[in-house]
Amino acid sequence: MKKLPVAILLLMAAASTTAAAAQKTTPKTIYHKGWIDFNKNGRMDPYEDPARSLDERVEDLLGQMTLEEKSCQLATLYGYGRVLRDSLPTERWKNEVWKDGIANIDEMLNGVGKCLRTTPHLVSDYTGHVEAKNTIQRWFVEQTRLGIPVEFTNEGIHGLNHSRATPLPAPIAIGSTWNRALVHRAGEIAGHEARVLGYKNVYAPILDVARDPRWGRVVECYGEDPFLIAELGVEMVRGIQSQGVASTLKHYAAYSVPKGGRDGNCRTDPHIAPRELHQMYLYPFRRVIRESGPMGVMSSYNDWDGVPVTASRYFLTDLLRHEYGFDGYVVSDSEAVEYVHTKHAVAETYEDAVRQVLEAGLNVRTNFSPPARFILPVRKLVREGRLSMEVVDQRVREVLRVKFRLGLFDNPYNDPREAVAEAGADKHRDFVLDIQRQSLVLLKNEDKTLPLDKKKTARVLVAGPLADEDNFMISRYGPNDLPTVTVLDGIRNYLGDGAEVRYAKGCDVVDAGFPDSELTATPLTAAERAGINEAVKQAAGCDVIVAVLGEDDERVGESHSRTSLELPGRQQQLLEALHATGVPVVLVLINGQPLTVNWAAQNVPAILEGWFPSVEGGTAIAETLFGDYNPGGKLTITFPRSTGQIELNFPYKKGSHGAQPRKGPNGGGVTRVLGSIYPFGYGLSYTTFAYKNLRIAPEPSRTQGSFRVSCEVTNTGDRRGDEVVQLYISDKFSSVVTYESVLRGFERVTLEPGETKTVSFEVTPSHLELLDSNMNWTVEPGEFEIRIGASSEDIRLKETVRLS
């Protein structure tokens, strides 16, 4: 065992002293068989009685709370290294605002910030981590008047945001699996690791609909289609909450299309019509809330139609609670409350912003600043009669209900042995590889360039600025202290001593003038020319070049929107130079958003979309390039030919993607580029699939009836493979303009060579409904075309049904 540094030993000693001091000040008699005397009055109050109903317990506790205690249940305290200065309780906590409790502590000892560096024994050591959380929880239970437990919260879109938890690829890659069962399992793992490590609320999934590919957070979305997002979101929430922890949906609402795709300090002014708001951007939230019952929602910091969402009673109460049936609590995204005053300027003072958001329906203010900045204005507003106690009571009531539902009042502590035995990426390596493999999308494979033949590959050049890079594998919102396998590492490990693997970086991800250099071309510098020339030199005598190009984590992600979707920097020049050598080039894309790779699509024989892979990305990519794994992922977002086409995505309104007429009364000739490089739902395989025998039964007749659509899919190739069978429906005539077609079913199936499987979908009235002219959801009588295919444009079977 390694010796710990003296500083860490001193920290541990201080922690032990603090914990011991805390125990001495509180009688141990509060812990009884089957219940805890949280208010330390020597008797079992209703809120302390596990046999009482949820409502009884909540109302009893609420009735005992002072304004000071209530206001503390309306704010988040960010953990050590973020806002909190202490890794464990200290004497000065008795003078802090949380002496009266706190709603939750976010990201406590999860490895983000300085805590992994300064207190590794409380982060990476799972025993130390859980014991630290127990010590903090014990302080709130034993040292506050009513003993209300704190809820530890954490991010989870890339897997639980803890240093060595099980990682997931970026959500855009998760979406590309089109695999509900896989996503459900991902949720189970994230939820289980959260529970055993002491976190009770996981901020996942993201349900934003990514319609503008310039937006930086496209990488964190499942895709551009609301039905796909809803289907996967339902499974992620069910998986997380099956483990006894809450799932909090992000980012509600209309967050993903800021004007011009701008991010950073913009994040506002989405141009969304009312019908589109409900049919597109709210659709996933409505369905996921109704079908999986998440206990949390995060309100976004943008406005819609001139009203900040976090200050909108329409969004936070009328829609969310009354129409959708949400019964958890709402946290604000960072600065959402402050922006009501500082950015949106609909409140003349910050205090009035606080009043507005609470009256609208916000429960907990979450931001990277001390919680007193929200708690103290709440108290002042109530005392001055500007905010009613009834509003405060209702907001607190909704928070307490979740805490009781999560069992915090019955079992507030965790067993470190569970965490040691069950948490960590090492427990789920097969799953990490599996979800990574299933997220890969084969975009092009001319003349069966792939898979590469290991026996015929003596020399490989792995080139490009992302070949030996891993920064895109470690997300701010996921595990952050795991060993990684780059694409170069993966290929070297795969080939071993059987082949020579050369490496040339060729160029940096971006040039010195980026992003302005994307507007005005500049000559290559001598160093840039030398880098490309060295890559060309290394290609001599090679059997294949694997070019790993795209974006890194400083080019796409939160606050990283782009103006262009071209390969950034000098990467296009590098790719063209490698292609000119005559050595076959395989392009591996590492990116978080669609790229306008027109030249590559026309000239490079094989392209594999890797998205932002997780820590085993290099292994999965190498296995796929050499055929040990047959890719079966499909795109969940359209690849446009140019940013000038944006928005160009699926689904789209009838006629909106139509061609320009060459003749006729409105003829004008062709003046713009039409169509995508790769459409929604697209993806190739090393094998082929045939579709036949479309069946619809029972014969549809009424708008409120259900029916099943099925077909047979056969693997007509010579190797095992996955196909994603997709169901689309087109409402041929309607009272309002509808989408040309909508996705309403999908199934990923694995088939051996020559094997046939029947794939079946149930179509219910909800799959056919639209918002009519009065903004009511309804199924209108008429004709619907049922389409089954391998992508939104590759339709193999179709039939029309008429409903009356």
Side-chain angles (χ1 to χ4, degrees):
M1 182 177 176
K2 293 182 179 179
K3 291 185 177 180
L4 291 171
V6 173
I8 291 178
L9 290 170
L10 290 173
L11 280 168
M12 293 176 70
S16 299
T17 302
T18 303
Q23 290 175 349
K24 287 179 181 177
T25 60
T26 304
K28 295 181 179 180
T29 53
I30 71 167
Y31 298 101
H32 301 276
K33 185 176 180 180
W35 69 284
I36 300 172
D37 186 9
F38 290 102
N39 64 5
K40 307 153 193 79
N41 65 359
R43 65 174 185 271
M44 184 191 294
D45 291 80
Y47 86 91
E48 299 163 344
D49 184 356
R52 298 287 188 123
S53 71
L54 175 63
D55 288 340
E56 283 182 289
R57 300 182 79 180
V58 169
E59 294 306 317
D60 178 64
L61 176 55
L62 189 64
Q64 296 189 39
M65 296 172 72
T66 64
L67 172 60
E68 286 72 22
E69 289 160 336
K70 291 174 182 177
S71 59
C72 281
Q73 295 299 314
L74 301 176
T76 292
L77 169 62
Y78 262 93
Y80 174 60
R82 306 290 278 172
V83 171
L84 188 59
R85 292 182 295 167
D86 310 306
S87 59
L88 290 167
T90 66
E91 281 299 315
R92 66 170 170 264
W93 282 27
K94 279 293 187 180
N95 300 316
E96 298 283 1
V97 72
W98 55 86
K99 69 181 183 297
D100 295 312
I102 201 74
N104 53 44
I105 301 180
D106 196 24
E107 300 187 357
M108 185 65 187
L109 298 172
N110 66 350
V112 174
K114 69 179 182 180
C115 62
L116 182 60
R117 182 180 71 257
T118 58
T119 56
H121 61 293
L122 302 182
V123 179
S124 301
D125 180 327
Y126 285 167
T127 297
H129 177 80
V130 175
E131 288 179 347
K133 295 275 245 338
N134 285 343
T135 298
I136 296 164
Q137 187 71 280
R138 191 171 292 111
W139 189 91
F140 282 95
V141 170
E142 298 177 357
Q143 301 299 318
T144 63
R145 187 180 73 93
L146 294 176
I148 301 173
V150 68
E151 180 185 287
F152 291 102
T153 60
N154 204 353
E155 299 285 353
I157 63 171
H158 289 259
L160 183 70
N161 189 16
H162 192 276
S163 60
R164 294 178 184 174
T166 301
L168 303 177
I172 191 68
I174 296 172
S176 298
T177 68
W178 294 66
N179 190 327
R180 296 180 187 82
L182 195 71
V183 173
H184 185 93
R185 180 60 183 145
E188 286 180 332
I189 291 171
H192 185 71
E193 290 185 326
R195 183 181 63 78
V196 299
L197 287 169
Y199 300 103
K200 277 292 190 178
N201 193 326
V202 178
Y203 291 168
I206 285 180
L207 298 183
D208 298 318
V209 183
R211 303 291 284 180
D212 191 329
R214 296 169 297 182
W215 185 53
R217 302 193 81 171
V218 167
V219 67
E220 296 175 359
C221 303
Y222 289 145
E224 69 188 8
D225 178 80
F227 180 85
L228 176 88
I229 294 166
E231 292 285 302
L232 300 184
V234 164
E235 295 303 329
M236 181 62 77
V237 171
R238 287 175 177 171
I240 290 171
Q241 295 200 158
S242 71
Q243 303 304 304
V245 301
S247 167
T248 291
L249 311 179
K250 300 163 65 170
H251 304 87
Y252 178 83
Y255 172 71
S256 57
V257 280
K259 187 175 181 180
R262 300 179 184 96
D263 207 342
N265 291 329
C266 180
R267 302 175 176 180
T268 188
D269 196 19
H271 286 195
I272 303 172
R275 183 169 282 101
E276 185 182 23
L277 172 72
H278 292 276
Q279 291 188 149
M280 185 71 64
Y281 297 95
L282 293 177
Y283 178 92
F285 288 96
R286 180 170 68 108
R287 278 200 51 205
V288 171
I289 290 167
R290 288 178 173 177
E291 295 176 30
S292 60
M295 290 187 237
V297 163
M298 180 180 288
S299 68
S300 56
Y301 34 57
N302 56 279
D303 65 317
W304 180 74
D305 195 26
V307 179
V309 169
T310 298
S312 168
R313 180 175 175 83
Y314 173 70
F315 277 105
L316 299 192
T317 298
D318 296 344
L319 276 180
L320 192 61
R321 294 192 182 276
H322 297 165
E323 185 173 330
Y324 299 168
F326 176 68
D327 63 355
Y329 73 83
V330 181
V331 300
S332 66
D333 202 350
S334 58
E335 290 197 80
V337 175
E338 288 78 359
Y339 283 163
V340 174
H341 167 58
T342 61
K343 178 182 286 189
H344 303 301
V346 298
E348 291 188 8
T349 65
Y350 172 63
E351 287 180 2
D352 193 51
V354 172
R355 178 193 62 78
Q356 286 189 35
V357 299
L358 287 171
E359 290 180 346
L362 181 74
N363 296 97
V364 175
R365 176 268 201 180
T366 302
N367 194 12
F368 301 105
S369 60
R373 295 185 186 176
F374 186 79
I375 292 169
L376 297 182
V378 171
R379 296 174 183 176
K380 185 171 184 252
L381 286 165
V382 173
R383 286 170 179 150
E384 293 178 354
R386 291 187 285 153
L387 176 67
S388 75
M389 185 62 84
E390 286 78 9
V391 168
V392 171
D393 283 352
Q394 183 58 24
R395 299 292 88 83
V396 174
R397 179 180 288 113
E398 289 156 353
V399 173
L400 294 178
R401 284 182 64 87
V402 171
K403 289 191 173 187
F404 277 106
R405 288 171 65 188
L406 291 173
L408 281 169
F409 287 86
D410 303 320
N411 187 17
Y413 308 115
N414 286 83
D415 186 347
R417 294 170 297 181
E418 259 195 307
V420 172
E422 299 171 23
D426 57 310
K427 313 295 194 304
H428 305 105
R429 187 173 185 275
D430 289 345
F431 175 82
V432 171
L433 262 176
D434 189 28
I435 193 169
Q436 185 62 78
R437 293 181 186 118
Q438 292 198 39
S439 71
L440 300 175
V441 184
L442 183 62
L443 298 179
K444 185 179 180 183
N445 195 21
E446 187 177 272
D447 298 328
K448 297 184 178 180
T449 300
L450 295 176
L452 302 172
D453 189 337
K454 185 176 182 179
K455 296 177 181 178
K456 297 179 181 179
T457 307
R459 281 178 295 277
V460 180
L461 171 62
V462 184
L466 297 170
D468 198 30
E469 180 59 76
D470 66 353
N471 62 24
F472 47 81
M473 296 182 180
I474 306 297
S475 169
R476 147 78 180 86
Y477 293 102
N480 49 38
D481 188 32
L482 292 168
T484 60
V485 181
T486 67
V487 177
L488 177 61
D489 292 336
I491 292 174
R492 281 178 171 164
N493 295 341
Y494 183 87
L495 293 175
D497 297 331
E500 177 188 354
V501 179
R502 300 176 183 176
Y503 166 65
K505 184 177 182 180
C507 65
D508 292 329
V509 174
V510 297
D511 58 295
F514 181 87
D516 289 344
S517 58
E518 296 198 313
L519 305 178
T520 304
T522 57
L524 293 170
T525 66
E528 289 170 340
R529 189 175 294 107
I532 292 175
N533 290 341
E534 176 61 23
V536 169
K537 179 181 176 181
Q538 290 291 334
C542 286
D543 301 298
V544 67
I545 299 170
V546 178
V548 190
L549 308 177
E551 303 167 311
D552 62 2
D553 71 341
E554 294 183 10
R555 250 50 63 174
V556 63
E558 190 169 9
S559 297
H560 289 153
S561 59
R562 289 191 62 192
T563 304
S564 168
L565 295 177
E566 302 288 332
L567 289 170
R570 306 303 191 182
Q571 294 185 63
Q572 182 62 35
Q573 289 99 315
L574 172 63
L575 180 61
E576 292 183 26
L578 293 172
H579 179 264
T581 65
V583 179
V585 176
V586 174
L587 173 60
V588 174
L589 288 175
I590 302 294
N591 49 299
Q593 57 203 149
L595 299 178
T596 51
V597 286
N598 293 286
W599 189 92
Q602 295 173 18
N603 294 281
V604 176
I607 305 175
L608 181 67
E609 175 58 80
W611 297 118
F612 268 22
S614 188
V615 296
E616 292 284 354
T619 302
I621 288 169
E623 291 174 346
T624 302
L625 292 177
F626 286 91
D628 281 3
Y629 182 76
N630 184 359
K634 301 275 188 173
L635 294 181
T636 62
I637 192 165
T638 303
F639 274 50
R641 296 180 185 274
S642 165
T643 53
Q645 294 175 288
I646 296 171
E647 66 177 43
L648 182 82
N649 38 37
F650 180 89
Y652 54 89
K653 290 292 180 69
K654 292 173 178 176
S656 65
H657 285 193
Q660 293 177 301
R662 293 174 181 267
K663 57 185 179 180
N666 295 314
V670 176
T671 58
R672 66 181 294 135
V673 173
L674 300 171
S676 63
I677 305 178
Y678 304 113
F680 175 83
Y682 173 85
L684 303 175
S685 171
Y686 295 154
T687 188
T688 55
F689 301 94
Y691 291 64
K692 61 181 180 181
N693 293 337
L694 174 63
R695 295 187 180 90
I696 301 176
E699 183 177 347
S701 59
R702 300 290 184 180
T703 58
Q704 295 307 304
S706 297
F707 55 92
R708 297 199 72 82
V709 177
S710 64
C711 72
E712 294 177 1
V713 182
T714 302
N715 183 342
T716 54
D718 59 1
R719 66 171 62 220
R720 184 176 189 259
D722 288 3
E723 175 67 321
V724 179
V725 183
Q726 300 161 46
L727 169 69
Y728 297 91
I729 297 178
S730 177
D731 189 345
K732 300 187 76 171
F733 298 96
S734 51
S735 62
V736 295
V737 178
T738 59
Y739 298 102
E740 192 277 334
S741 73
V742 290
L743 178 72
R744 285 299 180 260
F746 59 88
E747 198 68 41
R748 183 166 180 152
V749 294
T750 302
L751 296 169
E752 300 293 338
E755 183 182 7
T756 297
K757 283 186 179 178
T758 298
V759 179
S760 181
F761 305 99
E762 182 179 15
V763 178
T764 67
S766 67
H767 293 129
L768 306 174
E769 64 185 4
L770 54 73
L771 274 174
D772 66 16
S773 57
N774 296 314
M775 296 296 285
N776 294 315
W777 289 102
T778 186
V779 182
E780 295 183 338
E783 292 185 334
F784 296 85
E785 187 171 81
I786 309 300
R787 305 170 179 176
I788 290 183
S791 82
S792 60
E793 295 185 2
D794 184 8
I795 301 301
R796 307 289 182 88
L797 305 168
K798 58 186 177 180
E799 185 173 324
T800 298
V801 299
R802 174 176 285 278
L803 303 180
S804 60

